[in-house]
Amino acid sequence: MKRLLAAYSWLVFAFLYLPIAVIVVLSFNESRFGVNWTGFSLRWYEALLENRRIGEYLGNTLVVAFTSTLVSTVLGTLLAMGIVRYRFRLRSFLRYLLYVPVVVPDVVMGISLLLLFDTVRDGIGWPRLSLFTIILAHVSFQIAYVTLVVRARLMLLDPALEEAARDLGADNWRTFWEVTLPLTWPGVVSGALLAFSLSLDDFVVTFFTSGSGSTTLPLYIYGKVKTGITPEIHALSTLMVGATILILVLGALFWRRR
């Protein structure tokens, strides 16, 4: 039984990571077409550095991801605090409402946001489809994920710690900064990383809410699929995977030192 589970685990990991390994290998392939290995080369990394359009699209993607993650993390953390620590009417309804952006299909989410932006623009003449509307669209579903993660962390905390801080003379604001936020920080960071990854690779919602001059990397890759993906995309994907691994290693080392 143990060997069967071990073999099943290896198959699952191979299914998850073998496509990534293939892309990494092909990024160093000298051939432009197909998967036939013709020799080791760094020409596609050089072509990637010379391609200004990919740099522009990558910049748009990072701007959207960082901005939407920052906004959704702040709003999601405050919303989780309100749901866990305070009693008010429709509290249970709001808690269940958080699951709607999680379970609703991306196509429905994208179309509904597009109709919302069109309706508002017809009424007041703003906003036009741009990076701003993409950020708003990403924040609309990121808040739910951040709130659920931070809420799970807050429910594990003992409210007596906050009460003890107030007994010692701390007001609500100082209690939040000195006690609640440090104890909730792992959940906040986890929610932020989840929101960032969701924004970074989102395509469907971005497709419906983007306009001219606001092309992101997923939209560019989708367009290249129709005409043929060049090894430059493989090189870019390899760099993104390497950056992700580096961030994870640095984060693990940081928390181990802490």
Side-chain angles (χ1 to χ4, degrees):
M1 185 65 181
K2 184 181 295 185
R3 292 182 178 180
L4 181 61
L5 291 177
Y8 175 75
S9 301
W10 280 109
L11 288 176
V12 172
F13 280 110
F15 178 78
L16 292 175
Y17 295 106
L18 190 58
I20 299 178
V22 171
I23 290 179
V24 173
V25 173
L26 291 179
S27 68
F28 297 100
N29 189 7
E30 188 176 5
S31 175
R32 179 181 179 87
F33 304 102
V35 294
N36 296 326
W37 182 265
T38 60
F40 181 86
S41 175
L42 296 176
R43 58 177 294 195
W44 305 118
Y45 289 90
E46 297 176 357
L48 177 64
L49 296 177
E50 296 174 358
N51 194 329
R52 295 183 178 180
R53 288 195 304 169
I54 293 182
E56 178 185 353
Y57 301 150
L58 178 61
N60 291 341
T61 304
L62 294 178
V63 168
V64 171
F66 279 111
T67 306
S68 61
T69 298
L70 178 62
V71 175
S72 61
T73 301
V74 174
L75 296 180
T77 301
L78 295 178
L79 181 58
M81 284 286 300
I83 293 177
V84 175
R85 290 290 184 261
Y86 299 98
R87 305 284 181 177
F88 51 89
R89 295 180 60 183
L90 301 179
R91 176 171 173 265
S92 299
F93 174 76
L94 180 60
R95 187 170 66 247
Y96 290 115
L97 194 64
L98 289 172
Y99 292 96
V100 174
V102 178
V103 300
V104 168
D106 290 343
V107 174
V108 177
M109 193 78 175
I111 294 176
S112 61
L113 289 169
L114 175 61
L115 293 176
L116 174 63
F117 293 145
D118 286 341
T119 303
V120 175
R121 186 172 62 252
D122 292 340
I124 63 176
W126 181 86
R128 57 181 293 270
L129 296 181
S130 60
L131 287 179
F132 178 71
T133 55
I134 297 177
I135 292 173
L136 291 180
H138 285 199
V139 170
S140 65
F141 65 82
Q142 286 175 315
I143 287 180
Y145 289 92
V146 175
T147 303
L148 292 174
V149 174
V150 177
R151 174 177 171 268
R153 175 64 179 176
L154 284 171
M155 293 181 65
L156 298 177
L157 300 182
D158 188 0
L161 298 175
E162 298 175 349
E163 296 176 1
R166 296 188 184 96
D167 292 339
L168 293 174
D171 54 13
N172 292 333
W173 185 252
R174 188 171 184 181
T175 300
F176 173 77
W177 279 106
E178 298 290 341
V179 179
T180 307
L181 185 59
L183 294 175
T184 317
W185 190 246
V188 175
V189 174
S190 300
L193 292 176
L194 178 60
F196 182 81
S197 62
L198 290 172
S199 175
L200 196 64
D201 63 356
D202 180 79
F203 167 75
V204 178
V205 176
T206 305
F207 178 79
F208 285 101
T209 57
S210 62
S212 59
S214 59
T215 302
T216 60
L217 200 58
L219 297 180
Y220 172 74
I221 294 176
Y222 172 75
K224 295 295 291 186
V225 168
K226 299 180 179 179
T227 59
I229 297 179
T230 63
E232 296 176 20
I233 303 300
H234 299 159
L236 178 61
S237 302
T238 302
L239 293 178
M240 295 180 66
V241 171
T244 302
I245 295 176
L246 180 62
I247 292 174
L248 291 176
V249 171
L250 293 178
L253 293 176
F254 173 77
W255 287 111
R256 179 174 295 182
R257 290 187 176 183
R258 290 287 299 271

